[in-house]
Amino acid sequence: MPRTRRLRTLLVAGAVVAGAACHIEDRTPAGSRRDDAAIQAVLAEYHRDLAARDWRRAADLAWRGATYAGVAPAGAGGPVNRVVPLDSALAELAHQVNALDPEAFDVRIVRTDVRQEGDLAAAWVTTRRRVHHGGRVTEEEWIEHFVLRRIAGGWRILNVARAQHLVREGH
C-alpha cells in the first residue's frame, strides 16, 4: 500500500502543479472593457432613439460636425453616393417616418462588432429595420459603420456610413 499511496500523492501533486500552471492570462489594456461597455451603450442608445423617433437625443450622441454617408436614389441615373451632416440625415429620416403609424417603423440591433484603439473606435452595426416603402411595410437589414471618438471623457459618434442595405421580407 505504501507504493499506491506514493503514486496517489505524486498524481495529486502533479495535478495541483499542472492546475496552477494553467490559467488564462488577461492582457486587455487598462480601461478597454469599460470603454467597450461605454461604446456599446452609445450605439444602443442611438438605435433606441431612432426607434423611439427621438431625433434630438440621437443627434446629441454625435459630435458637432458628425457626418452620415450613404447611397441615395438618383432616379433614372441609378444610386449616388452622398455625405451629409448627421443632423440633416436625421431630419430627413424624421420627415419620412414621423407621419407614419408607429408600427411602420422600428430599429433593432442584430449584431455589433467594435474595435477600439486609444481614443478612437470603429463599429460595424447590423440592424433590422421595419420601414414603409410605397404603401407597404418591409423588413430591411442595414449594415452601418460607425466611427466614434472619446471627447471630454465620453464617447461621441463622428461618422456613420451605410455599407449595405438588404430588403429581407415584405409585409
Side-chain angles (χ1 to χ4, degrees):
M1 284 293 224
R3 184 174 188 167
T4 306
R5 186 175 292 177
R6 244 185 296 176
L7 183 57
R8 193 176 324 152
T9 303
L10 284 173
L11 286 173
V12 169
V16 169
V17 169
C22 294
H23 68 281
I24 297 173
E25 260 186 67
D26 184 1
R27 295 184 184 216
T28 306
S32 292
R33 286 194 185 113
R34 191 171 40 255
D35 287 332
D36 187 63
I39 293 163
Q40 294 281 356
V42 168
L43 295 170
E45 181 62 29
Y46 175 81
H47 288 92
R48 274 193 303 270
D49 292 342
L50 292 183
R53 301 176 187 200
D54 193 339
W55 317 114
R56 184 75 263 141
R57 283 189 60 186
D60 287 346
L61 295 168
W63 175 70
R64 66 187 181 331
T67 58
Y68 187 90
V71 177
V80 62
N81 293 325
R82 67 183 189 139
V83 178
V84 297
L86 183 59
D87 286 343
S88 296
L90 290 171
E92 185 177 317
L93 182 61
H95 178 72
Q96 292 172 4
V97 302
N98 275 346
L100 297 176
D101 175 5
E103 296 298 315
F105 180 74
D106 189 30
V107 180
R108 295 179 320 275
I109 292 178
V110 175
R111 176 189 166 128
T112 59
D113 182 20
V114 176
R115 299 287 183 262
Q116 180 214 345
E117 185 67 39
D119 288 340
L120 288 175
W124 287 100
V125 180
T126 303
T127 57
R128 181 108 356 105
R129 296 176 183 221
R130 186 173 43 243
V131 295
H132 188 266
H133 280 297
R136 69 177 233 244
V137 177
T138 60
E139 287 276 332
E140 299 177 348
E141 189 170 279
W142 286 37
I143 300 174
E144 293 174 303
H145 184 260
F146 286 74
V147 177
L148 299 96
R149 181 168 181 204
R150 185 186 351 245
I151 298 172
W155 288 92
R156 295 280 182 224
I157 298 168
L158 297 180
N159 175 266
V160 183
R162 187 173 72 205
Q164 190 172 11
H165 165 213
L166 303 167
V167 176
R168 303 278 298 178
E169 60 188 67
H171 292 280

